Amino acid sequence: MGRIWRDGHILLKLKLSLNTIPFGLRFIGVRYRPTDAKLCRARATLFCFSYIALGMFLLIHDFGTLMKDFEVSVTSTGIKLVMWNSQTIICQLFIHVWQRTDAFKAILDRFQEAEMVSTTFRKQRNRSQQVAKFFYTLMASLVPFYIVSSAAIRSYGYLMSYSGTRTELFNVHINIARAFANYLNGTTLMVAVHFFSTFVRGLYWEAKAFNQDLKELKPSDPSKMCMELERLLIKHTQLARTVRCVDKVFSQFAFLMLCANVPTLMFRLIRLMTRNHWAEILDAIPSVTIFVYIYLGLTVAPTQMRSELAKSTIILCGNKDIWAPYDAEVNRLARTLTLHFDQPDLGISLWGFAIVSKPLILTTFSVMLTLLAFFLEFKNSNNAMRSTNFGA
């Protein structure tokens, strides 16, 4: 990615969020560029697949333990561990592929070709990037804190008072391997989510700047109006091509991560709501915070961008200076521009299955709450049954 990291400030101030991220990858040994020496690339690839192998070992171990000794008291924890390992392995693989194919340089080149250097909303844009960078730093710092605190709590035996299944999930050797893998792969996970949200947020601000230009379109002369409409037509075409370029890079990543994150978050919430000991509650809070951050990072920016793109038609139809007084050429260009706006699949897709939008988030929340209520009721029924059997 070479020079593109240094010149990122030209394009939407993306450098505010991207310039410090390669350090996290370099610290764990997986950062490289396609132009690096073969030895450097081979070393980074070796580190990457070593971390993936460690994550796969824990994934297979936890899944096998969960299936062998299935118990209601440890189901949420076991599923959380399986899905967490799945997410970290997915991110490790995608980070490696993105670096190998120089995908981010392709995206930034597309931004540059589209001349997306608008200064509209400069303060809001910079503030947004700074807030995103702050939350990324906070969450990245929370990962090692969560790992250390969880290991300390389990070492004192607060979480070892259940069945043999829990003990097998958290024996000393597995716990050490899990802490090591969680730090290495968890760092990559935070980097991948931040990359995704940063690029999509850049598109959101460009869509917002485009709509602002559309609102301020009030030339009195029909010939000037035609020129402005042609300019906006070309600009929207370039914006749409950039959105599809970003979608091509991230659609599979977004699909797999959401599929893994939603059940992880749900079962972690179940664990938080069904714990009685203070140590168990403290153990659950950081992980819930991390999973909520990942979910919001995967959904908020694409939804905002999708909503902003959908506003273009409303703004165009509501601009009376375009439609009256009637001019045939202006009317033709305005209708053509409306057809360009009507692209139902323009946005960040989940591998082509759906577009990340407000209805999708509402559906996801509805399903999560329904399943959460079901499992909590199942848990209460199981506890009541045990109490009845004990009393008998």
Side-chain angles (χ1 to χ4, degrees):
M1 283 174 266
R3 185 182 169 215
I4 201 69
W5 290 109
R6 297 191 297 273
D7 294 344
H9 65 283
I10 300 174
L11 310 169
L12 312 175
K13 296 287 184 178
L14 288 177
K15 186 179 178 182
L16 287 173
S17 288
L18 296 177
N19 59 354
T20 59
I21 306 307
F23 173 76
L25 300 179
R26 193 177 296 112
F27 182 75
I28 62 175
V30 298
R31 171 80 170 102
Y32 75 95
R33 293 183 291 265
T35 56
D36 288 343
K38 290 184 179 180
L39 183 60
C40 294
R41 285 180 287 163
R43 183 187 59 189
T45 302
L46 178 62
F47 276 121
C48 174
F49 283 96
S50 298
Y51 302 154
I52 291 173
L54 181 58
M56 287 297 298
F57 165 75
L58 291 171
L59 177 64
I60 294 171
H61 172 273
D62 295 339
F63 185 78
T65 302
L66 188 64
M67 293 296 101
K68 181 176 65 175
D69 298 315
F70 183 85
E71 278 196 38
V72 175
S73 61
V74 296
T75 299
S76 62
T77 301
I79 293 178
K80 186 273 296 184
L81 292 174
V82 169
M83 301 310 293
W84 167 259
N85 286 327
S86 301
Q87 290 179 75
T88 57
I89 292 171
I90 290 168
C91 289
Q92 196 73 257
L93 281 171
F94 273 98
I95 285 290
H96 179 73
V97 171
W98 291 336
Q99 292 185 114
R100 185 172 183 176
T101 59
D102 224 358
F104 298 146
K105 181 180 182 301
I107 293 176
L108 292 177
D109 285 346
R110 177 65 69 182
F111 272 90
Q112 192 170 20
E113 290 172 7
E115 298 180 352
M116 292 188 178
V117 291
S118 172
T119 58
T120 310
F121 305 112
R122 180 186 293 272
K123 291 183 179 180
Q124 297 93 321
R125 190 196 305 269
N126 292 346
R127 191 182 305 117
S128 173
Q129 299 291 6
Q130 289 170 357
V131 169
K133 185 177 177 181
F134 168 76
F135 277 107
Y136 161 76
T137 305
L138 182 64
M139 291 298 109
S141 303
L142 192 59
V143 170
F145 171 77
Y146 165 60
I147 294 168
V148 172
S149 63
S150 297
I153 290 172
R154 289 164 189 155
S155 298
Y156 281 102
Y158 288 122
L159 301 179
M160 306 289 285
S161 58
Y162 292 94
S163 64
T165 304
R166 181 175 291 274
T167 304
E168 189 172 347
L169 279 174
F170 296 119
N171 69 61
V172 176
H173 298 92
I174 294 297
N175 203 25
I176 293 174
R178 180 173 287 113
F180 185 65
N182 282 349
Y183 175 71
L184 296 171
N185 293 331
T187 300
T188 310
L189 186 149
M190 291 299 165
V191 170
V193 173
H194 186 72
F195 274 143
F196 172 80
S197 61
T198 298
F199 281 117
V200 177
R201 192 177 296 107
L203 289 172
Y204 160 73
W205 284 109
E206 282 303 319
K208 197 172 183 67
F210 176 84
N211 286 338
Q212 185 67 23
D213 288 346
L214 197 58
K215 287 179 182 178
E216 297 173 354
L217 186 63
K218 295 181 180 180
S220 56
D221 183 60
S223 61
K224 291 182 179 180
M225 178 68 79
C226 289
M227 293 176 60
E228 287 297 314
L229 287 174
E230 288 178 356
R231 180 183 65 84
L232 290 174
L233 187 61
I234 295 173
K235 187 174 182 180
H236 188 270
T237 301
Q238 293 172 332
L239 176 61
R241 290 178 63 188
T242 309
V243 171
R244 295 191 187 280
C245 178
V246 173
D247 177 55
K248 183 179 179 180
V249 173
F250 288 109
S251 63
Q252 297 177 4
F253 168 78
F255 172 75
L256 294 174
M257 284 297 294
L258 274 179
C259 287
N261 179 261
V262 170
T264 309
L265 177 58
M266 184 183 67
F267 282 104
R268 205 57 182 167
L269 287 172
I270 292 174
R271 173 175 169 76
L272 179 63
M273 294 179 180
T274 56
R275 299 303 98 181
N276 298 320
H277 200 284
W278 65 268
E280 295 177 312
I281 296 175
L282 290 178
D283 178 61
I285 289 176
S287 61
V288 169
T289 305
I290 291 171
F291 295 137
V292 168
Y293 168 79
I294 294 171
Y295 179 79
L296 294 178
L298 293 170
T299 56
V300 171
T303 301
Q304 289 179 331
M305 183 193 68
R306 174 70 177 171
S307 299
E308 197 63 37
L309 290 171
K311 291 178 182 178
S312 299
T313 303
I314 300 173
I315 295 173
L316 179 64
C317 294
N319 192 335
K320 62 180 182 180
D321 294 312
I322 297 175
W323 309 103
Y326 177 80
D327 183 87
E329 185 64 17
V330 171
N331 191 273
R332 183 185 66 82
L333 286 171
R335 289 178 179 274
T336 304
L337 190 57
T338 305
L339 292 176
H340 273 256
F341 293 160
D342 188 19
Q343 300 183 50
D345 61 339
L346 187 61
I348 302 301
S349 67
L350 300 178
W351 210 349
F353 289 99
I355 300 295
V356 182
S357 58
K358 290 180 180 178
L360 179 68
I361 295 179
L362 179 61
T363 302
T364 304
F365 268 117
S366 300
V367 173
M368 285 178 62
L369 292 175
T370 302
L371 290 176
L372 185 62
F374 172 78
F375 281 111
L376 288 176
E377 184 64 26
F378 184 74
K379 173 75 173 178
N380 294 334
S381 300
N382 184 71
N383 291 338
M385 186 179 298
R386 286 185 177 182
S387 300
T388 302
N389 293 337
F390 180 77

